[in-house]
Amino acid sequence: MAKVLIAGGGIAGTITAIALHETGHEPVIHEAYGRNAEGVGAFLTLAVNGLDALGPLGLKGLVKGLGFDTPRIRMRLGDGRELADLALGGKLEDGTVSQTVLRSDLYIGLRDEAVRRGIEIRYGKRLADARETASDVLATFEDGSTAEGDLLIGADGLRSRVRTIIDPRAPSPRYVPLLNTGGVAEGLRLDDEPGVMHMTFGKRLFFTHIVHPDGGVWWFANVPRKHEPSPADLAVPTTWREDLIRQLAVDRTPAVEIVRATREIYRPWATYDFPSVPAWRTDRMVILGDAAHATSPAAGQGAAMAIEDAVTLARCLRDVPSIPKALAVYEGLRRERVEAVVERGKRNGDSKAAGPIGRVIRDFFLTRAFKNLPEEDPNAFMWRHRIDWEAPVA
């Protein structure tokens, strides 16, 4: 049994802890924020490959209980022309389809389940540094405290400290020229079928909305921004709502009334990805999830990739006799797949950031592309992936 220090108590870190606990290890989560930092903001749609990977951990039912079925997606242009009506990521053998859930609900549900299983979570522990010996790793936190373990896992996201400890020359995230925002509209009744995701390639913005079974309307918008914003740029301007409405008003969609019916619009955040992170590991430190391979939301796979990482790493530490070898096997099993997903997300997202001339060209090619859809969905490799929890890692 190994004592495993996990930096980061978000979705990736908590699922990693649960997976390691299931294989007999002793994980301890070190979360930079306080106990009440329960996450605010957006929702996510969890693809079926991620849900399937949760099954052996006894978490699939928990996640389904927090969200709602999202089996289909409808795409259209801003002028109202429909492009496609497609299944969203297929379904599992038991009929499970993609699930849409508030990120904060998912975080709280997983955290409470980890505590119920006896996993220790230490709050206010922001990692400052770490060093390893032949037999262990010593982590130092900004409050001056330390912790020793057999392994340190960086599940600490886009700005990962563990990534830079492993490789001080690690690349910075790549800015994708889009801002994100969204919200939940209440008191608005649309005729749309609940659970169907409506995506619009608008004249100025990409806008998506989905009706919750209770009648609320969940939505997000991608706002093109050529230059990477500073933190000050992301402070909510007093005209933010009006700016969105002005840019959405040129399209034939319910977007304007949805935004007007939203009491709190999410503070905008920038989009980033990692084409490739050269160094994932040392002998006793490793990164996973966004710390290793952040992908554009256009892939629809960010949370699912973190789940697959967690389950794969736990299998490797269960079956491979030494920690350094287990980490090498883990990277070998994951790197090619996640980098392909990052690339697919970049392709899917490029059309959202097109300029005025680019949008004309985009709309022309989108119309042609959806009229001549290939027999094989180019995104299928992402959601068809399955991990056999019971099979030993070779």
Side-chain angles (χ1 to χ4, degrees), residues 191-352:
D191 293 333
D192 298 333
E193 179 183 346
V196 176
M197 188 169 285
H198 294 262
M199 291 187 168
T200 301
F201 292 88
K203 293 179 181 178
R204 296 180 181 174
L205 305 182
F206 180 83
F207 187 86
T208 294
H209 74 275
I210 180 170
V211 176
H212 189 283
D214 70 6
V217 182
W218 297 16
W219 64 274
F220 71 85
N222 297 135
V223 181
R225 183 186 174 98
K226 185 176 181 180
H227 300 292
E228 182 177 4
S230 68
D233 293 331
L234 297 177
V236 180
T238 56
T239 59
W240 183 235
R241 183 186 301 268
E242 289 73 20
D243 288 345
L244 289 172
I245 289 173
R246 176 177 51 80
Q247 295 187 75
L248 293 167
V250 297
D251 296 323
R252 294 173 54 191
T253 73
V256 169
E257 59 181 315
I258 291 172
V259 172
R260 283 178 172 154
T262 302
R263 181 170 55 186
E264 181 181 357
I265 296 176
Y266 302 147
R267 177 176 176 171
W269 67 96
T271 307
Y272 296 91
D273 68 7
F274 271 118
S276 180
V277 174
W280 283 18
R281 59 185 171 85
T282 61
D283 283 349
R284 292 188 177 272
M285 291 187 274
V286 68
I287 51 176
L288 52 69
D290 282 356
H293 49 73
T295 181
S296 164
Q301 285 284 332
M305 288 299 99
I307 294 167
E308 288 185 7
D309 283 354
V311 171
T312 301
L313 180 58
R315 290 179 64 228
C316 291
L317 290 168
R318 179 191 67 190
D319 298 339
V320 179
S322 78
I323 289 176
K325 289 181 180 178
L327 301 187
V329 173
Y330 157 74
E331 181 177 358
L333 291 172
R334 295 299 297 160
R335 181 178 282 277
E336 182 178 356
R337 171 164 169 75
V338 299
E339 291 184 356
V341 170
V342 171
E343 176 58 26
R344 175 55 60 179
K346 178 67 165 57
R347 289 188 196 177
N348 290 351
D350 280 348
S351 59
K352 298 178 181 181

Side-chain angles (χ1 to χ4, degrees), residues 75-303:
M75 297 183 181
R76 68 185 65 188
L77 297 177
D79 62 11
R81 283 181 288 168
E82 186 163 312
L83 295 171
D85 187 341
L86 305 168
L88 179 57
K91 62 175 64 176
L92 301 180
E93 291 183 1
D94 64 1
T96 295
V97 296
S98 299
Q99 299 290 305
T100 298
V101 59
L102 287 173
R103 183 177 293 274
S104 58
D105 286 350
L106 181 58
Y107 164 73
I108 293 168
L110 291 171
R111 180 201 64 194
D112 290 350
E113 178 63 15
V115 171
R116 188 190 69 80
R117 297 186 186 200
I119 295 170
E120 183 180 359
I121 305 176
R122 300 175 182 174
Y123 294 97
K125 299 295 180 181
R126 185 178 297 277
L127 184 69
D129 204 357
R131 59 180 177 84
E132 59 185 297
T133 68
S135 60
D136 64 10
V137 59
L138 175 67
T140 304
F141 302 94
E142 289 188 357
D143 65 0
S145 63
T146 61
E148 287 186 85
D150 300 293
L151 170 65
L152 171 63
I153 296 175
D156 47 348
L158 194 71
R159 307 294 178 183
S160 170
R161 178 65 182 128
V162 179
R163 181 177 64 241
T164 58
I165 293 171
I166 289 173
D167 179 10
R169 297 172 297 177
S172 298
R174 176 175 65 182
Y175 174 60
V176 177
L178 292 169
L179 299 185
N180 306 276
T181 189
V184 176
E186 300 174 348
L188 179 67
R189 290 296 176 260
L190 300 181
D191 293 333
D192 298 333
E193 179 183 346
V196 176
M197 188 169 285
H198 294 262
M199 291 187 168
T200 301
F201 292 88
K203 293 179 181 178
R204 296 180 181 174
L205 305 182
F206 180 83
F207 187 86
T208 294
H209 74 275
I210 180 170
V211 176
H212 189 283
D214 70 6
V217 182
W218 297 16
W219 64 274
F220 71 85
N222 297 135
V223 181
R225 183 186 174 98
K226 185 176 181 180
H227 300 292
E228 182 177 4
S230 68
D233 293 331
L234 297 177
V236 180
T238 56
T239 59
W240 183 235
R241 183 186 301 268
E242 289 73 20
D243 288 345
L244 289 172
I245 289 173
R246 176 177 51 80
Q247 295 187 75
L248 293 167
V250 297
D251 296 323
R252 294 173 54 191
T253 73
V256 169
E257 59 181 315
I258 291 172
V259 172
R260 283 178 172 154
T262 302
R263 181 170 55 186
E264 181 181 357
I265 296 176
Y266 302 147
R267 177 176 176 171
W269 67 96
T271 307
Y272 296 91
D273 68 7
F274 271 118
S276 180
V277 174
W280 283 18
R281 59 185 171 85
T282 61
D283 283 349
R284 292 188 177 272
M285 291 187 274
V286 68
I287 51 176
L288 52 69
D290 282 356
H293 49 73
T295 181
S296 164
Q301 285 284 332

Side-chain angles (χ1 to χ4, degrees), residues 60-72:
K60 187 170 76 172
L62 181 151
V63 173
K64 289 182 66 176
L66 296 170
F68 60 95
D69 288 355
T70 314
R72 288 174 39 234

